[in-house]
Amino acid sequence: MNLLFLMTDQHRVDTLGCYGNPHVATPNLDRLAATGTRFDRFYTPTAICTPARASLLTGQAPFRHRLLANYERNVGYLEDLREDAFTFPEALRERGYQLGLIGKWHGGTSRNAASYGFDGPDLPGWHNPVDHPDYLAYLEERGLPPYRISDLIRGTTPNGNQGNLLAARLHQPVEATFEHYLATRAIEHMERYAADGRPFFLATHFFGPHLPYLLPDEYFDMYDPSLVELPPSIAETFEGKPPVQRNYSAHWTFDTIPIEVTRKLIAVYWGYVTLIDRQIGRILDRMDELGLTGETTVFFTADHGEFTGAHRLHDKGPAMYEDIYRIPGIVRIPGEQPQVRDEFVTLTDCTATILELAGCDTKPAVDSRSLAPIVRGEHPEWPGELLAEFHGHHFPYPQRMIRDDRYKLVVNPESVNELYDLRADPHELSNRYTHQELAPVRRRMMRRLYDLLRERGDNFYHWMTPMYDIGALDYDPTLSSFEKEGSAG
């Protein structure tokens, strides 16, 4: 079984047609979803690039693999996986797989993708490395113009300086974009692997639609900003929320940008999604032409989401909202029927899935569950809640989150805890942690989170014991849903 793994960076799930967006053109990903399994509740283990990608590589939660921050904003954590850490490419290589990774690595500093056995140009960093020798050679060979941008969009920081670059117009044709380059290199590798005949794992990791959104005219102006419905959470007041969220909003300069510019930013982000969809279409079409489709499992997902103005924020950060934790997730195994599933699954579960499909032992991926039985239409026993974690970006900020069908609890040991009723408040505007009518929900979710963290070996539970008097909380493990306690919605 060949394995094609397509991954984007900082990708909102609601920008895809197959997830309900009526405006954004994503025909290739929609086609993949229509012929595979689309997971409606697919989540990242942590909404930050390097730790999430390390979880995919190892099948381990971030607290276990310990690669907890992007090196550009590292605050003293490890910068590479331990030498003895299990990784899935090692297991695939032992099974004779050809291994390729084209695109964003962002998995450490001293060890690159080749350190783990992957072929492909070494493309480190958080955004398109437009000065990379292989990309420059690609442009020169084809007589394409170099990278140049104008019409920069950015706000103003609290100290009066220019804020981070959010978007700009790219003065290159589509064929010169980094996205087109990545798809071209992926196709070249696929052709070589097909000629070899051995099974392959080929990953294409696009750097986008991560900000800044740098697009040629065709995509920069593709969508009319008047089509954009602003996120309802743009009404965020931060009342009763951790202060770090208001500070992050100021850091990302949301309130200094006119609302019509915010609409344009979202429209440009949509254009970025369509640009990447078309490059994914080139890869899928070439796979069809090579006769590989019937023997290749295809994955599509992202490392985490993006705010694009939701909660008056941009990028991602220490706020465990659905906007950045829920991500697209599509898996197509040849011969299996298309479907939509609503189990809580995560990016980390892709690791055990890859291992199982390659005929490898899945046990070393200790925090991962294979999605293959679900894709085959089975209904295996599956957890009714989801865990996620965060450790900081720019500064240490530990968080843990648990959510079930209705409620989400976020524990912020150094700040205000959060409790959201996702049925009554799907945009997570009202923190109900202190609301007395939800006290039974709060106690039960706190105890459930504590027990799950302790069971996993996540020492965060030690912080919770004295702070929340865990021993005094009543928890009945026979209750499969927190809604069974009968609390008002």
Side-chain angles (χ1 to χ4, degrees):
M1 176 71 72
N2 301 317
L3 302 163
L4 176 64
F5 199 93
L6 305 168
M7 191 175 192
T8 50
D9 190 331
Q10 210 153 296
H11 197 157
R12 287 187 66 96
V13 69
D14 60 6
T15 59
L16 300 176
C18 57
Y19 281 95
N21 191 299
H23 304 300
V24 183
T26 54
N28 298 292
L29 289 171
D30 295 349
R31 169 167 53 105
L32 183 64
T35 53
T37 294
R38 174 170 66 79
F39 290 94
D40 198 45
R41 298 196 291 190
F42 201 101
Y43 285 78
T44 183
T46 185
I48 186 80
C49 302
T50 296
R53 291 166 186 271
S55 286
L56 171 64
L57 196 63
T58 62
Q60 297 179 1
F63 82 88
R64 199 184 307 278
H65 64 61
R66 308 301 297 168
L67 193 54
L68 302 178
N70 294 354
Y71 75 85
E72 295 90 352
R73 296 290 185 270
N74 202 320
V75 290
Y77 297 129
L78 293 178
E79 292 193 3
D80 284 282
L81 290 172
R82 299 183 307 275
E83 290 286 344
D84 62 348
F86 167 82
T87 63
F88 78 80
E90 175 185 0
L92 265 60
R93 189 168 60 249
E94 291 175 356
R95 298 283 297 183
Y97 269 73
Q98 304 175 85
L99 301 173
L101 192 152
I102 310 299
K104 182 170 182 173
W105 167 241
H106 215 197
T109 54
S110 64
R111 299 166 69 192
N112 59 13
S115 303
Y116 297 93
F118 290 111
D119 300 327
D122 179 22
L123 300 170
W126 65 276
H127 201 258
N128 291 339
V130 294
D131 57 351
H132 191 277
D134 191 65
Y135 173 64
L136 296 177
Y138 166 87
L139 295 179
E140 184 176 0
E141 290 166 4
R142 292 160 175 78
L144 295 168
Y147 165 89
R148 182 171 67 87
I149 61 173
S150 68
D151 302 356
L152 280 63
I153 299 176
R154 61 203 329 162
T156 304
T157 64
N159 63 10
N161 292 334
Q162 286 188 328
N164 291 295
L165 178 62
L166 300 175
R169 191 178 297 275
L170 179 65
H171 294 277
Q172 287 178 300
V174 172
E175 294 75 18
T177 63
F178 212 83
E179 292 72 29
H180 196 281
Y181 153 75
L182 291 177
T184 300
R185 289 290 187 253
I187 289 169
E188 292 169 352
H189 274 68
M190 183 185 295
E191 291 170 341
R192 191 168 77 247
Y193 292 161
D196 180 283
R198 289 179 294 147
F200 63 79
F201 173 92
L202 177 59
T204 306
H205 291 184
F206 292 94
F207 287 77
H210 194 297
L211 55 76
Y213 322 136
L214 310 178
L215 302 178
D217 292 345
E218 177 184 348
Y219 293 93
F220 194 88
D221 299 319
M222 176 170 283
Y223 295 106
D224 186 340
S226 67
L227 293 173
V228 173
E229 293 185 16
L230 293 172
S233 63
I234 211 164
E236 179 67 78
T237 66
F238 303 113
E239 181 180 355
K241 305 285 188 77
V244 69
Q245 295 184 23
R246 185 187 298 275
N247 294 339
Y248 245 64
S249 177
H251 171 76
W252 283 104
T253 69
F254 178 85
D255 291 336
T256 72
I257 299 172
I259 204 67
E260 60 269 22
V261 176
T262 294
R263 289 186 188 275
K264 177 61 177 178
L265 273 173
I266 296 173
V268 174
Y269 182 76
W270 287 1
Y272 205 169
V273 171
T274 296
L275 170 61
I276 292 173
D277 179 85
R278 290 184 178 172
Q279 303 315 309
I280 286 174
R282 293 178 57 218
I283 297 170
L284 295 176
D285 288 346
R286 188 58 180 144
M287 182 177 69
D288 290 344
E289 294 165 358
L290 291 169
L292 298 171
T293 303
E295 55 195 56
T296 304
T297 290
V298 181
F299 297 77
F300 171 74
T301 187
D303 57 356
H304 54 79
E306 150 79 82
F307 280 118
T308 59
H311 294 277
R312 290 164 53 196
L313 294 163
H314 291 288
D315 200 54
K316 66 276 183 186
M320 304 187 86
Y321 293 122
E322 296 288 285
D323 306 272
I324 60 172
Y325 275 83
R326 181 173 171 240
I327 55 177
I330 303 168
V331 182
R332 186 180 71 189
I333 297 177
E336 303 302 341
Q337 295 300 305
Q339 59 179 329
V340 178
R341 297 294 290 260
D342 64 358
E343 287 88 351
F344 285 116
V345 301
T346 77
L347 176 65
T348 314
D349 292 327
C350 291
T351 315
T353 313
I354 291 166
L355 291 168
E356 179 179 330
L357 294 173
C360 303
D361 183 7
T362 64
K363 290 194 292 296
V366 295
D367 297 308
S368 180
R369 296 177 295 268
S370 175
L371 301 173
I374 296 178
V375 177
R376 290 193 292 263
E378 301 170 15
H379 292 271
E381 184 177 348
W382 206 264
E385 65 270 319
L386 171 90
L387 296 183
E389 60 190 270
F390 189 72
H391 298 267
H393 182 51
H394 301 93
F395 49 85
Y397 196 83
Q399 297 176 292
R400 296 296 186 275
M401 179 257 278
I402 183 170
R403 69 147 296 182
D404 69 354
D405 284 335
R406 180 167 181 175
Y407 298 106
K408 175 189 288 186
L409 171 72
V410 181
V411 175
N412 304 297
E414 300 177 32
S415 187
V416 179
N417 291 332
E418 300 162 84
L419 179 64
Y420 299 102
D421 180 344
L422 298 174
R423 183 179 302 169
D425 177 27
H427 304 293
E428 302 172 278
L429 284 167
S430 176
N431 179 11
R432 304 182 71 181
Y433 185 81
T434 61
H435 288 210
Q436 188 56 37
E437 76 275 14
L438 289 183
V441 175
R442 181 179 69 240
R443 287 195 299 268
R444 290 184 182 277
M445 293 195 77
M446 188 69 76
R447 182 59 195 240
R448 182 62 173 155
L449 176 60
Y450 174 88
D451 287 345
L452 289 172
L453 294 178
R454 184 175 175 181
E455 178 183 310
R456 297 175 102 193
D458 182 347
N459 286 333
F460 189 91
Y461 81 89
H462 285 305
W463 292 25
M464 296 173 63
T465 304
M467 288 184 175
Y468 310 117
D469 194 15
I470 294 296
L473 297 180
D474 296 325
Y475 169 65
D476 182 351
T478 65
L479 296 179
S480 60
S481 169
F482 299 117
E483 296 181 55
K484 290 185 178 180
E485 37 195 66
S487 297

